[in-house]
Amino acid sequence: MPRVKGGPPPHELTEAEIEELVAAFGRAAGRVKEAGFDGVQLHGAHGYLINQFCSPASNRRHDRWGGSSTRRMRFLEEVALAVRDEVGGDYPLLIKLGIQDFVRDGLTLDEGVEIVHHLADWGLDAVEISCGIGGTSSRKDVLRPEDEAYFLPQARRAREATDLPLILVGGMRSLKVMESILEEGAADFISMSRPLIREPDLPNQWREGRTEPAACLSCNNCWPGPGEYGIACRSHQVGS
Ligand SMILES: Cc1cc2nc3c(=O)[nH]c(=O)nc-3n(C[C@H](O)[C@H](O)[C@H](O)COP(=O)(O)O)c2cc1C
């Protein structure tokens, strides 16, 4: 995790700190349920804590939390079990999971698929397939159908490893591509991020008969630049 200015220097988590984090995930999920949300999605991708434990690039431990792919997955397993314990058996529990890191010494696709294989046993109800740490999860310049669905090869591998419903994210821009993925069975649901920042009502427009792809340019200018605040589409072509 980035070091906060003025904060303490990072240190390897103690066993007690890890146990407390696992318990905190459980309590957080309990609050989500109590607040009336329809389900919980764990974030296990993009360099956040669960992904950090799963990834050999960041997990250099040699105790029961690291040192082999099985031990690196343990944190996710414990978190999933703690959350399920807290929210009960009938409450939807999903995960957004990074299954390939694309960084030196990072999680390989084989290791990611192995995690997918265990998710149902750990109480998950569905998995959203993503990849990458940092910028590689939001690929730029998805402007042609052949650039779309850039994690489809990884989803196909995940499909072989689980019967859980699969959600695919990453460069979904045109109905044609999305429908072909659903028809093929590589995923059961489609997830979008940047297109909905630019056109929040896009799914309704498609439902009402629009056939054009998302207008999103995948320029990543939705992230605030220096001196800017908040997530918004800052493409020059907005409204054109
Ligand atoms: C401005 C912005 C904010 C994002 N915030 C999150 C986030 O909070 N959690 C998350 O899982 N992914 C986040 N992402 C990644 C997206 O959810 C998604 O995985 C990625 O952008 C690829 O999908 P897309 O091509 O539909 O944008 C963010 C992406 C962008 C551009």
Side-chain angles (χ1 to χ4, degrees), residues 41 43 45-46 48 96 128 130-131 137-139 142 150-151 169-173 191-197 216 218 220 222-224 231-232:
Q41 186 179 42
H43 203 324
H46 305 175
Y48 290 101
K96 182 168 183 173
E128 180 176 358
S130 189
C131 295
S137 56
S138 300
R139 207 171 279 180
V142 183
Y150 46 78
F151 297 140
V169 72
M172 304 297 180
R173 300 294 182 267
S191 172
M192 290 184 291
S193 171
R194 289 167 292 177
L196 300 180
I197 295 172
C216 174
S218 309
N220 286 356
C222 36
W223 287 110
I231 291 171

Side-chain angles (χ1 to χ4, degrees), residues 40-216:
V40 163
Q41 186 179 42
L42 299 175
H43 203 324
H46 305 175
Y48 290 101
L49 188 60
I50 290 173
N51 179 226
Q52 288 179 22
F53 266 94
C54 291
S55 174
S58 45
N59 185 343
R60 308 286 173 87
R61 306 181 69 99
H62 292 286
D63 56 6
R64 69 191 192 101
W65 305 98
S68 71
S69 55
T70 305
R71 292 201 293 265
R72 283 190 292 272
M73 307 178 209
R74 186 189 305 276
F75 183 74
L76 168 54
E77 177 181 3
E78 299 275 329
V79 165
L81 295 177
V83 168
R84 180 53 83 200
D85 195 44
E86 187 78 25
V87 298
D90 294 336
Y91 192 70
L93 173 56
L94 295 74
I95 183 167
K96 182 168 183 173
L97 185 67
I99 62 170
Q100 189 172 5
D101 281 344
F102 304 131
V103 298
R104 192 177 55 198
D105 300 330
L107 190 76
T108 65
L109 182 55
D110 283 343
E111 290 170 323
V113 168
E114 180 63 20
I115 300 173
V116 171
H117 176 71
H118 291 286
L119 294 176
D121 289 340
W122 298 341
L124 274 300
D125 295 316
V127 52
E128 180 176 358
I129 299 298
S130 189
C131 295
I133 291 178
T136 51
S137 56
S138 300
R139 207 171 279 180
K140 290 179 81 171
D141 302 321
V142 183
L143 300 172
R144 305 169 304 169
E146 51 269 41
D147 301 324
E148 293 186 35
Y150 46 78
F151 297 140
L152 179 58
Q154 287 82 0
R156 286 182 177 134
R157 287 286 314 280
R159 175 79 292 164
E160 294 165 9
T162 186
D163 292 329
L164 287 178
L166 286 192
I167 307 160
L168 184 56
V169 72
M172 304 297 180
R173 300 294 182 267
S174 66
L175 283 175
K176 201 174 158 201
V177 170
M178 295 181 216
E179 281 165 357
S180 73
I181 291 167
L182 297 176
E183 273 163 30
E184 174 192 333
D188 305 293
F189 296 92
I190 300 293
S191 172
M192 290 184 291
S193 171
R194 289 167 292 177
L196 300 180
I197 295 172
R198 178 162 179 152
E199 300 177 284
D201 62 339
L202 182 58
N204 286 335
Q205 290 185 29
W206 278 334
R207 186 182 286 143
E208 286 159 16
R210 168 177 162 174
T211 52
E212 298 86 47
C216 174

